[in-house]
Amino acid sequence: MESLKYNQVIFKASSNCSKNREALEEQLAFNPNVPDNCGCLSLEFVAWRHSTPFIAYKSIEPGFFALSSHTINGASLSIYLKKLQEWHNSAPNHYPVLINLNINSLNGIDANFHDEIDTYLTCYFKKELIFKPGQLIKNGSLSLAENVKNYGWPTLAQMQGKFIFCLTGNSDRKDKYANTDIEKRYCFSEGVISTLKEIPEKGNIVFFSTIYSQYQPYKELFKKKLGFYHDANYITRLYNVNNSDAWEYAIAHNFSVIATDRLNASDDAEISPLVPLRRKAITVKGYLKNKANNEYRTNKASKMCRRFKNEVCTFIFEKHGKGFALKNEETQEYLNSKMNYIPLAGYTEDELWLAIRAEGEENGYYFKNIKNSKYLTKKASRLSDSQGDTEIFLTGIALE
């Protein structure tokens, strides 16, 4: 896992973590004996700004940012920052931890917000533990987003023991922060995944989020757009993930951060059985054209097509371990060993296929189901017990 880059993995987030019954260190702890419990690598704090005089980067009151909207004498954010550092000291080689700060405000001037939050962090958190936006800027003539797309993220090993702070909530405040000397800032800012706006290819925002909805029209709107965010190396967060359907949707669509209120959810909230991370599915697009009859597999499990029809015949090959899940682009459903399409895959052996190179054929493969050891063949609704000329499928892309 340590060799993977930060944008290549999926992890769990605790929504509004100070309100959860589990202590902070418990929320962060991962136990392979109960992998669905806690094991968060992201925490969200909902805080309120109570503006008082401060000296930029030298001193600021602990209650300037508090977890209460009513008084600066409530639990200050600094208390939790101290707990995070204590946890770090007990396990300094931890995976990078994302801290989302949803900051509300009753008063104060947003023009000074960048100095306020950065002063607060420098006063109450060790600067050397913070992974900053400037560390991603390799070319000063490009925006943060362009740098991330062109040069990518560091590996998990390179980010070991670090904390990433990201501002959520008020859009104007986040935008102002992101566009004020981003190379000097201590926090990232989070944008919103929207079907109504173009995907930002420039600018200084590389974290994006959206809320889970159970309604299919909503999910259909996002399924094509998400791929562009992933291709740009952006970090994507799905929140309100509080049931098994939402969890499967988040995993299947490669969201980086899965934010939930259910930290002990008995199988609904497992990232991986061994570590608190899982690798995102490696995906490439192609087709399944049988070499023997020159017909394409389609969005119908029992139907082949003689002429290629864009999404109907396009498949997304998702790599999981040694096998591939075969997802039709039009339906977003997976082909299983019973020659049916299913809406969401748990990536079990039933949905995974070995891609065995056919010698002498450019991008030609035999597809062997891992569960029943049978092969796709020229008959759409059937499987073959052995591999031969009628079992070779051309994919249009290399799967190695």
Side-chain angles (χ1 to χ4, degrees):
M1 278 292 182
E2 282 72 11
S3 63
L4 294 177
K5 294 188 175 183
Y6 189 64
N7 64 296
Q8 294 177 324
V9 296
I10 298 171
F11 51 90
K12 188 193 300 186
S14 172
S15 298
N16 200 1
C17 68
S18 66
K19 299 296 184 182
N20 291 324
R21 68 176 184 270
E22 296 86 1
L24 210 63
E25 58 272 18
E26 186 180 353
Q27 295 181 46
L28 291 164
F30 177 78
N31 183 349
N33 294 320
V34 278
D36 52 305
N37 286 2
C38 296
C40 296
L41 289 177
S42 176
L43 303 174
E44 178 192 40
F45 291 96
V46 179
W48 290 79
R49 177 172 63 170
H50 301 277
S51 295
T52 54
F54 72 101
I55 302 175
Y57 303 98
K58 290 186 177 180
S59 65
I60 191 169
E61 289 293 325
F64 198 105
F65 293 106
L67 275 61
S68 168
S69 63
H70 304 298
T71 173
I72 63 173
N73 296 321
S76 69
L77 180 60
S78 65
I79 293 173
Y80 291 89
L81 295 179
K82 181 180 180 182
K83 290 181 179 180
L84 286 174
Q85 290 179 98
E86 290 172 348
W87 174 80
H88 165 83
N89 292 337
S90 69
N93 295 323
H94 58 80
Y95 289 115
V97 176
L98 172 65
I99 305 298
N100 285 318
L101 299 176
N102 184 350
I103 296 180
N104 303 282
S105 183
L106 295 177
N107 52 48
I109 302 172
D110 283 349
N112 298 328
F113 178 72
H114 58 284
D115 284 334
E116 293 170 350
I117 187 62
D118 285 2
T119 297
Y120 197 89
L121 289 176
T122 58
C123 288
Y124 297 107
F125 203 81
K126 290 182 179 179
K127 292 186 288 186
E128 61 269 23
L129 297 183
I130 302 175
F131 183 85
K132 307 173 188 68
Q135 292 174 253
L136 292 174
I137 297 177
K138 308 301 182 185
N139 184 338
S141 66
L142 300 178
S143 67
L144 179 62
E146 291 172 302
N147 271 279
V148 164
K149 184 170 184 179
N150 290 328
Y151 303 106
W153 288 81
T155 65
L156 296 177
Q158 292 168 329
M159 297 174 73
Q160 187 180 68
K162 298 296 184 182
F163 293 84
I164 304 164
F165 289 88
C166 184
L167 303 174
T168 67
N170 183 280
S171 295
D172 292 340
R173 197 177 299 136
K174 291 184 300 184
D175 290 344
K176 177 70 166 59
Y177 182 94
N179 291 308
T180 305
D181 299 325
I182 188 62
E183 69 280 358
K184 299 178 181 178
R185 301 273 66 89
Y186 284 78
C187 301
F188 292 83
S189 292
E190 184 183 75
V192 177
I193 300 174
S194 172
T195 58
L196 303 178
K197 298 179 182 179
E198 292 298 318
I199 296 168
E201 297 182 0
K202 296 183 178 181
N204 293 320
I205 294 181
V206 295
F207 284 76
F208 293 88
S209 71
T210 188
I211 188 171
Y212 175 79
S213 170
Q214 63 180 327
Y215 300 110
Q216 186 63 25
Y218 170 92
K219 292 188 283 189
E220 288 294 316
L221 289 172
F222 280 99
K223 71 180 182 183
K224 295 178 185 176
K225 218 162 194 186
L226 286 172
F228 293 101
Y229 285 89
H230 299 322
D231 292 343
N233 298 326
Y234 295 153
I235 306 301
T236 55
R237 180 171 69 102
L238 186 68
Y239 57 94
N240 198 34
V241 182
N242 294 319
N243 59 55
S244 57
D245 287 344
W247 196 262
E248 288 183 353
Y249 176 81
I251 294 289
H253 289 77
N254 271 346
F255 280 93
S256 310
V257 188
I258 305 177
T260 182
D261 297 317
R262 303 181 68 192
L263 301 185
N264 296 288
S266 65
D267 297 332
D268 281 354
E270 180 181 318
I271 292 289
S272 169
L274 299 177
V275 290
L277 297 158
R278 72 182 291 158
R279 182 174 186 159
K280 288 182 179 178
I282 301 173
T283 62
V284 291
K285 290 184 181 181
Y287 49 75
L288 288 166
K289 180 182 180 182
N290 186 267
K291 184 175 181 296
N293 60 16
N294 288 320
E295 293 183 346
Y296 298 85
R297 291 205 68 93
T298 70
N299 58 339
K300 304 292 184 183
S302 60
K303 183 180 179 180
M304 302 283 278
C305 181
R306 291 190 176 184
R307 298 179 65 181
F308 181 80
K309 297 179 181 178
N310 203 10
E311 291 183 358
V312 170
C313 299
T314 297
F315 281 81
I316 300 168
F317 299 86
E318 298 182 355
K319 184 69 179 294
H320 295 276
K322 296 181 179 180
F324 286 87
L326 309 179
K327 181 167 70 173
N328 182 265
E329 185 170 52
E330 200 277 330
T331 63
Q332 295 290 296
E333 294 181 331
Y334 297 82
L335 188 65
N336 67 11
S337 65
K338 301 179 180 64
M339 302 311 290
N340 296 319
Y341 283 117
I342 59 175
L344 286 171
Y347 306 124
T348 65
E349 292 184 351
D350 192 47
E351 298 101 35
L352 294 179
W353 305 77
L354 297 176
I356 303 169
R357 174 169 286 283
E359 292 187 15
E361 296 292 342
E362 183 178 2
N363 298 329
Y365 299 89
Y366 303 102
F367 286 90
K368 181 180 180 180
N369 184 264
I370 292 180
K371 182 176 182 179
N372 62 21
S373 297
K374 294 187 177 182
Y375 298 83
L376 292 182
T377 187
K378 67 178 183 178
K379 297 290 185 180
S381 58
R382 297 181 184 176
L383 290 172
S384 172
D385 292 327
S386 60
Q387 62 185 47
D389 291 343
T390 58
E391 284 71 50
I392 296 175
F393 281 83
L394 307 178
T395 60
I397 40 89
L399 296 179
E400 285 78 10

